[in-house]
Amino acid sequence: MDLVTALVELYAAADEAGDAETARLAERMIWHETSDVEVLYPAALFVEEAMRSAATDG
């Protein structure tokens, strides 16, 4: 089970139990994790490629 799946399950369980604080925490963690995957990881790969290109051009 991946982290996002576990967080979605936590969110659902907290929401069903009426635990708004835990549901909000899980939701924030889901958004954080998905933005890492969608934004930060590709950006890191781009920087790596730019650095390799600059090293071979120099």
Side-chain angles (χ1 to χ4, degrees):
M1 175 181 306
D2 71 352
L3 179 58
V4 174
T5 302
L7 289 168
V8 168
E9 290 181 6
L10 174 62
Y11 174 84
D15 189 50
E16 185 176 319
D19 186 351
E21 184 177 346
T22 301
R24 279 193 305 271
L25 175 63
E27 185 177 26
R28 286 194 309 252
M29 292 176 72
I30 291 166
W31 282 109
H32 175 75
E33 184 63 24
T34 56
S35 66
D36 279 358
V37 170
E38 294 173 359
V39 176
L40 296 179
Y41 297 153
L45 294 173
F46 177 76
V47 169
E48 176 190 24
E49 184 60 33
M51 291 176 69
R52 287 178 191 243
S53 179
T56 59
D57 290 344

